[in-house]
Amino acid sequence: MPESADPHGQELLRALGERRRTGSRPGRRTDGLRIALAIEGGAMRGTVSAGMALALHELGLTTAFDAVYGASAGAITGAWLLSSRPEGLRGWTEPSYASTLIRWSALLRGRPVVDVRTLIEVVYQTEFPMDFGSVLASEVEYHPLATDAITGESIDLRPLITDPTELRLALRASASLPFLAGPPVRLRGRRFYDAGIAESVPFRTPLAQGATHILVLRSRGLPPPAPNPARPSPAAPNPARPSPAAPNPARPSPAAPNSAAPSPARPHSPAAAVAAADGGPTGAGLDTATPDNEPDHEYAPGQPANGIPVPRPPRSVRLLARTTLRNESPELRAALLSRGARTAVDVAHIAELEAAGRALAVRPPADAPPVTRLTTDGALLAAAFEAGRAAAHELLA
């Protein structure tokens, strides 16, 4: 590690602490830094990063940032944090909130499973009212991201927002999951899909816009440790002793499929296809397209990251590209298929900047409840929220 390395992001922590101590305000800084907050989404997994965001408010750090960037559910969390009611972040733990947003029964009526429109346009103006005007008036810049349906590129929607109506459209656009949340959202004559297609961790955009330091709130934990190749698994078979259960190659197993028989019918509806590809309803979705127990390093063919071999995109991603997005632009489909490679590069870049003290990632602890993208259990969501909140307090207090 180079002599100047700072493995714990101390430079960023010192800058945030100094800004809090001196009462520094956005637009009137004297330290010459631009510090951004980046909030990852992940549908209901965003409950974890929402807990982290509430911790920032409780620690008095919100105004220590110059800008807040959010992707998908992270964009919604960012809006709550900058609103006049940041305690509204606890809405993520409400069972009624989850049951409004996630409705598998909607498939029977041909409606989106993830009802972002009702959440933003109804719930956020009735049961859990968000002060949209206060978000627009915030001295901390607000930057929700989305994916352009034509170019497949990550787009900062801030220049397209001038009033509460456009802000609500931007929130919906940032979380517009292909298939699960319905068609893309139109804003200023342009069509947008979920930010997770192009930039699932909102990190590249703040860097490109001049951020010198970035605090990243992750909704996904660390990948499980790699197995030790020098120590075989205790369950590994002894090569010198054939297993008594080994099949006789001369006698086909009665359970083996008949190669001459037709294969089972493949699912025809997008709903069945996505559910089958992801191992059932709780794993389906984009922002999406990998099971929640997979590591950060999702790759696309031909795009190695850090010397690690690159497998094909998950089947669910390929299925979405061929079905739901079949009439969209080649650029958008390519962005979806290569999403994992970009995420891997971003994660590696975050680690490099952490070592230099310019970035810091807050992750859920290893024992955090296993919330998936479509979890609706209130107790589980509340526990995940508190796990994220505790992790941020421990790291930033």
Side-chain angles (χ1 to χ4, degrees):
M1 185 177 291
E3 186 177 340
S4 60
D6 181 0
H8 304 293
Q10 292 299 315
E11 181 181 316
L12 171 56
L13 291 176
R14 284 193 295 269
L16 289 173
E18 182 64 14
R19 285 183 170 189
R20 176 175 55 186
R21 187 186 68 80
T22 61
S24 170
R25 311 296 293 189
R28 300 190 292 275
R29 313 286 194 198
T30 58
D31 56 15
L33 306 178
R34 179 173 173 82
I35 303 179
L37 174 66
I39 310 176
E40 182 182 17
M44 294 309 297
R45 202 176 61 229
T47 302
V48 178
S49 45
M52 297 172 182
L54 182 62
L56 294 179
H57 165 66
E58 293 170 339
L59 291 168
L61 287 170
T62 304
T63 56
F65 296 96
D66 298 293
V68 171
Y69 292 78
S72 192
I76 296 174
T77 288
W80 275 114
L81 178 63
L82 298 183
S83 75
S84 60
R85 293 185 58 248
E87 63 274 9
L89 284 162
R90 288 195 175 276
W92 281 98
T93 68
E94 292 288 338
S96 59
Y97 178 108
S99 62
T100 295
L101 182 60
I102 310 297
R103 293 181 177 178
W104 280 100
S105 61
L107 283 174
L108 302 176
R109 303 189 301 275
R111 301 183 63 180
V113 173
V114 182
D115 193 354
V116 181
R117 186 183 187 283
T118 296
L119 177 70
I120 303 299
E121 302 291 356
V122 179
V123 175
Y124 280 0
Q125 297 191 76
T126 55
E127 299 172 59
F128 299 100
M130 178 186 288
D131 184 355
F132 297 103
S134 65
V135 179
L136 295 172
S138 172
E139 56 188 335
V140 179
E141 296 176 10
Y142 176 59
H143 297 260
L145 306 185
T147 301
D148 189 288
I150 302 298
T151 67
E153 295 178 349
S154 179
I155 301 295
D156 179 4
L157 300 180
R158 178 178 173 83
L160 306 182
I161 304 171
T162 59
D163 57 36
T165 298
E166 290 178 333
L167 174 56
R168 290 195 294 272
L169 285 172
L171 292 174
R172 289 168 51 193
S174 188
S176 182
L177 305 170
F179 168 64
L180 286 180
V185 172
R186 288 187 176 273
L187 176 59
R188 297 283 190 97
R190 299 170 65 179
R191 297 162 59 247
F192 297 101
Y193 276 111
D194 187 277
I197 296 177
E199 191 171 353
S200 58
V201 181
F203 185 74
R204 279 174 280 119
T205 296
L207 276 182
Q209 294 182 355
T212 60
H213 298 74
I214 304 179
L215 180 71
V216 186
L217 305 185
R218 298 296 312 274
S219 62
R220 188 189 295 271
L222 287 169
N228 184 350
R231 183 176 184 182
S233 167
N238 183 345
R241 182 178 182 183
S243 169
N248 183 345
R251 183 178 182 183
S253 167
N258 183 347
S259 59
S263 61
R266 297 180 67 184
H268 293 288
S269 71
V274 172
D278 280 297
T282 58
L286 183 89
D287 183 357
T288 98
T290 54
D292 291 294
N293 61 352
E294 288 191 8
D296 282 311
H297 301 304
E298 307 155 11
Y299 305 103
Q303 300 186 41
N306 296 340
I308 301 176
V310 180
R312 299 176 71 191
R315 182 185 172 204
S316 53
V317 170
R318 291 178 274 124
L319 206 58
L320 282 172
R322 292 197 305 266
T323 57
T324 302
L325 302 182
R326 65 185 180 277
N327 294 324
E328 293 289 0
S329 70
E331 291 81 4
L332 180 68
R333 296 197 301 273
L336 173 64
L337 293 171
S338 61
R339 167 185 177 268
R342 288 192 308 279
T343 300
V345 171
D346 288 345
V347 169
H349 197 183
I350 291 171
E352 291 172 0
L353 292 186
E354 280 190 287
R358 292 181 52 203
L360 184 62
V362 185
R363 291 179 179 268
D367 60 351
V371 173
T372 69
R373 300 175 183 91
L374 300 176
T375 295
T376 57
D377 182 272
L380 194 62
L381 293 171
F385 182 93
E386 290 303 327
R389 178 169 166 262
H393 269 286
E394 181 178 356
L395 191 60
L396 303 170

